Amino acid sequence: MEIVKISPRGFCHGVVNAWKKVLETLNCNKDKKIYMLGLFVHNHRMIEQVMTENLVILDDTNMSSYDLVKNLVCKPGEIIILSAHGTDKRVINLAINKGLEIVDTTCEYVYKTHNIIKAGLTAKKTIIFLGVKNHPETLSILSLSKDIIPIYSYDELNNLTAYFDKDVLVTNQTTFSIYDLEAHYKFIKEHFNHFELANDICTATQERQEALINLNKKLDKLIVVGDLKSNNSKQLLKLGKLKKISASFLVNSIEDLKKIKFKFNDVVGITAGASTPTIVTNEIVNYLQEYKWN
């Protein structure tokens, strides 16, 4: 088996900053109750590493972030850690009104998108946002204004005929697919008369996707190491399938990898999402290097 390590892999700058903030908060406040609103990054291995007796994860798919905080029984001075994906301003204000101390791990690239949208709204532009439905980054973006128009799939662009002659600003989730963005842009250029395109794919997502797109080596299998909740990891998986790699898999542990059968002469590519710890990727690589043939 030949293993092709596709670089870059491992943590992006935003994840590193969020990780440092979380560790510092936990280390400096061991005598306080600390709440984490959702997963601060989408990787369960990282969450497991920060779990302490005084940390409570608020993550319920049946409840909104607002309701989670609204129903929270807490004391003034306790701490709430906000996700790197961004948080609805109403939720932040609610937490402040409850007396909670805010630790905001929002990625600078997400805030950059927020600022671009705010400037567009001030300029009276129609804002079209390309993102993943119900993703925390999308929810934080939509909380900026009820006038933002979310688009969750290419087909939904056909519903925007009323805006073809409007002055529009098109922006996107930081972990959007390069291929999908190109397809959306093509439609917009063909149908809209007045538009500004603000490509907000973050550097880490762009670099990892381009590394896979530009890979000249023919792969029999692609292994994307990342959490099932990680959108940038799922986009790498999608790109693998678009490149017609015959077998592409998203794994987050050795147990996931054990479900895949490899051949002696397989050429296997390894990449990883921006929130995947290097130790997890190394475990996957080591397993493949020592693969036991039946």
Side-chain angles (χ1 to χ4, degrees):
M1 184 192 308
E2 180 182 354
I3 300 172
V4 180
K5 301 175 186 177
I6 305 168
S7 295
R9 300 183 307 277
F11 289 161
C12 66
H13 181 68
V15 170
V16 170
N17 284 343
W19 175 248
K20 287 179 179 177
K21 284 185 180 180
V22 170
L23 290 181
E24 181 181 5
T25 300
L26 293 171
N27 289 334
C28 296
N29 298 279
K30 294 181 179 179
D31 58 339
K32 281 188 180 182
K33 180 69 70 69
I34 300 172
Y35 306 95
M36 182 181 291
L37 186 57
L39 307 183
F40 79 100
V41 294
H42 284 159
N43 190 283
H44 280 86
R45 290 287 289 272
M46 290 187 69
I47 302 303
E48 290 169 4
Q49 289 182 50
V50 301
M51 285 305 302
T52 58
E53 289 185 1
N54 61 323
L55 177 63
V56 177
I57 306 290
L58 306 175
D59 188 35
D60 186 340
T61 55
N62 296 316
M63 294 180 69
S64 68
S65 294
Y66 186 88
D67 286 336
L68 284 169
V69 175
K70 181 181 177 181
N71 295 333
L72 180 64
V73 178
C74 59
K75 297 177 182 177
E78 292 179 337
I79 297 170
I80 187 163
I81 299 173
L82 305 181
S83 161
H85 309 97
T87 304
D88 185 329
K89 292 298 181 186
R90 293 186 315 132
V91 176
I92 296 174
N93 291 335
L94 180 61
I96 291 172
N97 290 336
K98 282 192 159 220
L100 291 167
E101 180 184 333
I102 304 293
V103 175
D104 187 1
T105 71
T106 302
C107 174
E108 62 185 81
Y109 283 99
V110 174
Y111 270 139
K112 177 188 169 190
T113 306
H114 285 207
N115 291 334
I116 288 172
I117 289 173
K118 288 176 183 177
L121 290 167
T122 300
K124 306 299 182 185
K125 292 178 181 287
T126 297
I127 309 297
I128 297 173
F129 178 75
L130 313 175
V132 176
K133 190 173 185 178
N134 293 327
H135 189 280
E137 183 179 340
T138 298
L139 296 175
S140 76
I141 292 289
L142 296 181
S143 75
L144 297 175
S145 171
K146 61 180 177 54
D147 295 324
I148 298 172
I149 302 168
I151 294 294
Y152 303 125
S153 70
Y154 178 85
D155 292 339
E156 291 181 20
L157 291 171
N158 290 305
N159 300 328
L160 299 179
T161 54
Y163 301 96
F164 285 177
D165 289 321
K166 302 289 186 182
D167 188 10
V168 303
L169 168 66
V170 183
T171 184
N172 55 272
Q173 190 167 325
T174 58
T175 55
F176 211 68
S177 159
I178 292 174
Y179 279 155
D180 287 346
L181 194 62
E182 287 178 354
H184 285 66
Y185 278 2
K186 184 174 185 294
F187 181 98
I188 289 161
K189 290 174 181 177
E190 290 174 351
H191 294 86
F192 286 75
N193 295 316
H194 311 284
F195 58 85
E196 177 186 349
L197 304 176
N199 178 355
D200 285 328
I201 295 178
C202 73
T203 302
T205 297
Q206 181 102 10
E207 289 175 345
R208 282 156 180 74
Q209 290 186 16
E210 287 179 344
L212 180 54
I213 290 169
N214 297 328
L215 185 70
N216 291 323
K217 189 83 173 179
K218 187 180 185 311
L219 302 178
D220 298 299
K221 291 181 175 67
L222 173 69
I223 305 298
V224 178
V225 188
D227 198 279
L228 290 173
K229 282 192 171 185
S230 167
N231 189 60
N232 73 84
S233 298
K234 288 190 283 190
Q235 295 301 338
L236 288 170
L237 180 68
K238 184 195 291 187
L239 283 178
K241 293 176 179 178
L242 286 171
K243 280 178 66 75
K244 301 191 184 331
I245 299 171
S246 58
S248 299
F249 305 91
L250 177 61
V251 304
N252 197 37
S253 67
I254 297 296
E255 291 307 310
D256 293 337
L257 200 64
K258 287 179 179 178
K259 300 171 186 176
I260 304 169
K261 297 297 182 183
F262 296 92
K263 298 178 182 177
F264 184 78
N265 60 347
D266 272 346
V267 179
V268 181
I270 305 287
T271 185
S275 56
T276 303
T278 299
I279 188 172
V280 178
T281 306
N282 288 343
E283 289 172 0
I284 300 297
V285 171
N286 292 338
Y287 175 87
L288 291 174
Q289 289 174 334
E290 300 171 5
Y291 189 76
K292 308 300 183 192
W293 305 101
N294 294 327

